[in-house]
Amino acid sequence: MLSSSRNRDIERRAEYLQADQCLPPSSDNSMGRIWFIKDGCGLACAVVTWMLIFYAEFVVIFVMLVPAKDLLYSIINGIIFNMLAFLALASHSRAMLTDPGAVPKGNATKEFIESLQLKPGQVVYKCPKCCSIKPERAHHCSVCKRCIRKMDHHCPWVNNCVGENNQKYFVLFTMYIALISLHALIMVCFHFLYCFEEEWTKCSSFSPPSTVILLILLCFEGLLFLIFTAVMFGTQVHSICSDETGIEQLKKEERRWAKKTKWMNMKAVFGHPFSIEWLSPFATPDQGKVDPYQYVV
């Protein structure tokens, strides 16, 4: 703890900003490129996430809905489940492939520091790992190997950091996974009741032992994911409303930014103004134009 505090103090000192020690940033423009983290553990977790969702799709459609006698029940539940699953996968993709707010690498140069036009008494932070000038509330991620603005945490399940630019998609991902998990659990309960009333050979196109195993596995998966994502969704909403990231809460960092209302904090993440687009992973939130290099004296 003392070591981390000491490193933070060193970063605040103006004499530590030896710009000449940093190589100039690459001339290649990264704008427009797809953000993708090449991490083996994260890629494995992302693939497992998609496989589990497709497994749930298989059991819901071919084990429960297709053999059901009530056609209207199958159509309505099939549309709802597939729509939620599609939104969950879309949210996962956006959270994984969106730049979370990476600070330009190697921008701690003399020219860039002078371009900030710092006032007397203002300080800037330099990251010694990626040689970047860190905006207020940015933290370095050892997996992404970049400083991320308003970094909350690095999530292996989306193979990316959760930061300023993709927190909306991560929140939507946890919400839609929780909803399809709850929906699947409810349908499993109804299907078990239906199979107990009827013969097991009539309530599924699979053999009774196979049906039971598939339903139990889906039940276990749904319960596990429901608890995990519901808790994660709650912590993320609380973090947004309190305007304090997970790292800031963990490190108990001093609050150096302006306090806003909970509603304003929600709009800062999901976009201005409130609309149905808050629930869409395809709508990029309009967060307004903010200078990321504004520092408190």
Side-chain angles (χ1 to χ4, degrees):
M1 188 70 181
L2 291 174
S3 176
S4 61
S5 300
R6 180 176 177 274
N7 290 336
R8 193 71 172 172
D9 292 336
I10 289 175
E11 289 178 354
R12 291 185 183 186
R13 280 194 243 149
E15 63 265 25
Y16 183 72
L17 292 174
Q18 301 295 331
D20 295 336
Q21 295 178 358
C22 294
L23 295 174
S26 174
S27 57
D28 294 332
N29 188 6
S30 60
M31 295 298 291
R33 294 183 181 177
I34 294 178
W35 176 270
F36 185 75
I37 301 300
K38 297 177 182 178
D39 177 59
C41 177
L43 290 172
C45 289
V47 170
V48 168
T49 300
W50 280 62
M51 289 178 63
L52 289 173
I53 294 175
F54 285 132
Y55 170 77
E57 281 271 1
F58 170 78
V59 176
V60 167
I61 294 174
F62 295 103
V63 177
M64 292 190 288
L65 296 182
V66 170
K69 293 182 178 179
D70 192 337
L71 182 61
L72 184 63
Y73 170 85
S74 298
I75 292 175
I76 293 176
N77 282 281
I79 291 174
I80 294 174
F81 187 85
N82 280 280
M83 182 178 66
L84 292 175
F86 173 74
L87 290 172
L89 291 174
S91 300
H92 183 274
S93 299
R94 290 299 303 270
M96 181 171 63
L97 301 176
T98 299
D99 181 348
V103 178
K105 202 170 185 178
N107 67 350
T109 61
K110 182 179 179 181
E111 293 76 13
F112 183 77
I113 295 172
E114 291 176 349
S115 70
L116 295 177
Q117 298 179 346
L118 299 174
K119 298 177 181 179
Q122 282 187 307
V123 292
V124 292
Y125 304 92
K126 171 190 171 183
C127 177
K129 296 179 181 178
C130 59
C131 213
S132 300
I133 298 297
K134 296 171 66 175
E136 192 71 32
R137 305 182 68 183
H139 293 84
H140 185 85
C141 174
S142 58
V143 180
C144 297
K145 296 179 175 60
R146 298 287 289 275
C147 285
I148 308 297
R149 294 193 303 272
K150 287 188 69 176
M151 175 181 169
D152 187 86
H153 68 288
H154 184 92
C155 179
W157 295 104
V158 297
N159 189 35
N160 201 0
C161 275
V162 177
E164 185 177 71
N165 293 343
N166 68 342
Q167 189 172 24
K168 170 193 173 179
Y169 310 125
F170 181 76
V171 173
L172 291 180
F173 168 66
T174 58
M175 181 183 74
Y176 287 127
I177 289 294
L179 288 176
I180 63 173
S181 299
L182 179 62
H183 189 205
L185 287 172
I186 293 173
M187 284 191 290
V188 167
C189 292
F190 277 111
H191 197 72
F192 266 122
L193 292 175
Y194 168 68
C195 289
F196 283 137
E197 293 177 357
E198 299 285 339
E199 294 183 14
W200 279 89
T201 54
K202 295 182 179 180
C203 70
S204 175
S205 55
F206 295 86
S207 65
S210 299
T211 302
V212 172
I213 292 174
L214 290 171
L215 291 177
I216 289 177
L217 288 176
L218 179 62
C219 214
F220 177 76
E221 176 194 339
L223 189 62
L224 188 66
F225 268 76
L226 174 61
I227 295 173
F228 177 74
T229 54
V231 171
M232 184 60 71
F233 174 78
T235 57
Q236 284 294 301
V237 172
H238 176 267
S239 175
I240 293 171
C241 291
S242 61
D243 194 19
E244 192 175 20
T245 66
I247 290 181
E248 290 165 350
Q249 294 176 13
L250 186 64
K251 292 185 175 181
K252 297 181 179 179
E253 294 185 358
E254 178 186 357
R255 192 183 188 96
R256 297 163 55 85
W257 53 94
K259 190 174 182 179
K260 297 179 290 186
T261 63
K262 295 180 180 178
W263 186 242
M264 286 299 295
N265 291 330
M266 290 291 288
K267 289 197 290 186
V269 173
F270 289 93
H272 300 265
F274 171 76
S275 68
I276 193 66
E277 290 185 347
W278 278 28
L279 302 177
S280 172
F282 303 102
T284 302
D286 179 15
Q287 298 168 331
K289 295 181 179 180
V290 179
D291 184 0
Y293 292 98
Q294 288 294 325
Y295 292 91
V296 179
V297 178

